[in-house]
Amino acid sequence: MANLQVTLAGLHFDNPIMLASGILDSTPGILRRMSRMKVGALITKSISINPRPGYPGPTAVETTPGTWINAMGLPNPGLNEFVDEFNLEDGSVTIIPNLVADTPDEFAELAQSVAAAGAKIAEINLSCPHPKASYKGRLTAQDPGAAAEAVEAASSKLPIIAKLTPNVTDIGEIAVACARAGASAISAINTLAALDIDPELERPILGNGYGGLSGAGIRPIGLRKTLDIVQAFAEANLDTPVIGMGGISDADDVARYILCGAHLVQVGTALVGNPEQLNDITDGLSEWMDRKGYKSLEEFRGRILEWF
Ligand code: RRO
């Protein structure tokens, strides 16, 4: 039987499939339920230093089947309540806090607190597509210098995964800046900056107006951006692992990302209303590898590169 195991920053994962931030992860109870799935690790909703109520609704709408636009507005209870409520040392499945902040100092503070609470690694969200305030009106991950500063600050406290936006010309440049600043891994992609309109009401479909697009329709963009990062790392002689995401809904999609060079993947939107799909994806990957005669992930990781 295929071996799905993978390590990242010295941590061991049973399989390369992670629950993406923002989906089925907003309370300890939901995370506990998800930890019973065949999942490598669970990533929490973004945590900020102060509580955030989120944007007014509607906050998430399905625009075409399987593809969603959202502007949740980073709703979360804030750092102190998060650390009190969420058990990061449970041990059965690694829980990875996702951290969001406006400055490197805030990222360092968040990282230090979750490390003290037992986190072994954190993901920093440099890429929410519709914040009210961010670096000079841009996303942190749209500026290699700002992204590197945030990574440097946070990774002085614990190993860091830097989550990037697809809304840039050259995602490889940003990924290289983050890796050189000390990121243990890069995750990509966050949602695409988007807008949808209700023609009857003559208004944006979301309460916030703008939103981010996720789900099945963005998979080819996620694959392209993953490949861009993998190629940029090869050119820069960096072996930083990439965690690919965007539109993954079955085992074939996971195989697509690993063929592009991803070490791990994250699944989000496809699980809305169907969390058990995670088990099917993991079982399906194992079956796909058996059928292809692959015994480990390394045997087919990055195979698509020979086409470019
Ligand atoms: O909470 C959100 O509105 C949100 C976040 Br933090 C993010 O990173 N990406 C997204 O599409 N929505």
Side-chain angles (χ1 to χ4, degrees):
M1 212 175 108
N3 177 359
L4 300 189
Q5 292 176 6
V6 61
T7 55
L8 177 73
L11 296 169
H12 169 88
F13 300 106
D14 285 345
N15 67 62
I17 296 157
M18 301 167 132
L19 175 73
S21 176
I23 307 283
L24 301 164
D25 58 5
S26 54
T27 66
I30 298 173
L31 271 183
R32 235 186 335 273
R33 177 171 173 205
M34 297 311 289
S35 71
R36 292 194 279 269
M37 309 277 169
K38 294 177 183 171
V39 65
L42 306 171
I43 306 189
T44 73
K45 180 76 189 143
S46 294
I47 305 302
S48 48
I49 290 180
N50 296 311
R52 296 181 62 123
Y55 293 147
T59 53
V61 176
E62 193 169 20
T63 54
T64 55
T67 300
W68 288 70
I69 186 168
N70 90 82
M72 312 298 293
L74 308 102
N76 77 91
L79 177 62
N80 289 342
E81 199 170 320
F82 172 79
V83 166
D84 283 351
E85 275 188 9
F86 285 74
N87 180 3
L88 299 172
E89 290 179 302
D90 179 354
S92 57
V93 174
T94 302
I95 296 180
I96 302 178
N98 177 296
L99 311 176
V100 66
D102 287 325
T103 66
D105 286 348
E106 280 182 19
F107 272 118
E109 184 181 339
L110 286 161
Q112 182 154 22
S113 297
V114 296
K120 303 283 180 292
I121 188 166
E123 181 177 72
I124 60 172
N125 187 354
L126 306 176
S127 51
C128 178
H130 41 72
K132 292 277 188 235
S134 57
Y135 285 93
K136 300 175 193 140
R138 300 172 78 195
L139 309 184
T140 313
Q142 287 172 329
D143 177 336
E149 278 177 29
V151 167
E152 204 176 334
S155 61
S156 67
K157 311 296 179 190
L158 85 170
I160 287 297
I161 303 165
K163 185 167 180 178
L164 302 188
T165 177
N167 306 308
V168 288
T169 310
D170 183 357
I171 198 169
E173 178 196 9
I174 313 281
V176 167
C178 289
R180 289 196 173 130
S184 297
I186 301 296
S187 56
I189 56 175
N190 205 321
T191 52
L192 286 138
L195 171 69
D196 210 355
I197 305 286
D198 184 326
E200 207 45 51
L201 299 177
E202 302 179 27
R203 53 153 291 170
I205 213 157
L206 294 174
N208 180 57
Y210 299 122
L213 202 67
S214 66
I218 75 163
R219 189 191 71 217
I221 300 169
L223 290 170
R224 172 66 193 268
K225 298 290 180 185
T226 298
L227 184 66
D228 286 350
I229 296 169
V230 169
Q231 288 175 320
F233 281 173
E235 258 173 50
N237 274 321
L238 291 163
D239 59 4
T240 311
V242 180
I243 305 172
M245 83 191 91
I248 293 178
S249 57
D250 59 22
D252 280 358
D253 294 342
V254 177
R256 288 180 169 108
Y257 273 92
I258 298 175
L259 286 164
C260 277
H263 279 68
L264 299 102
V265 297
Q266 294 181 16
V267 186
T269 306
L271 304 177
V272 174
N274 187 17
E276 273 74 24
Q277 176 75 359
L278 257 186
N279 291 335
D280 296 343
I281 295 175
T282 307
D283 288 343
L285 179 63
S286 186
E287 284 159 22
W288 182 90
M289 288 171 63
D290 285 346
R291 182 165 59 78
K292 293 278 190 171
Y294 292 128
K295 300 226 171 329
S296 69
L297 301 168
E298 297 85 71
E299 289 179 20
F300 65 100
R301 182 182 301 132
R303 283 205 79 172
I304 224 70
L305 271 95
E306 70 192 51
W307 290 85
F308 299 97

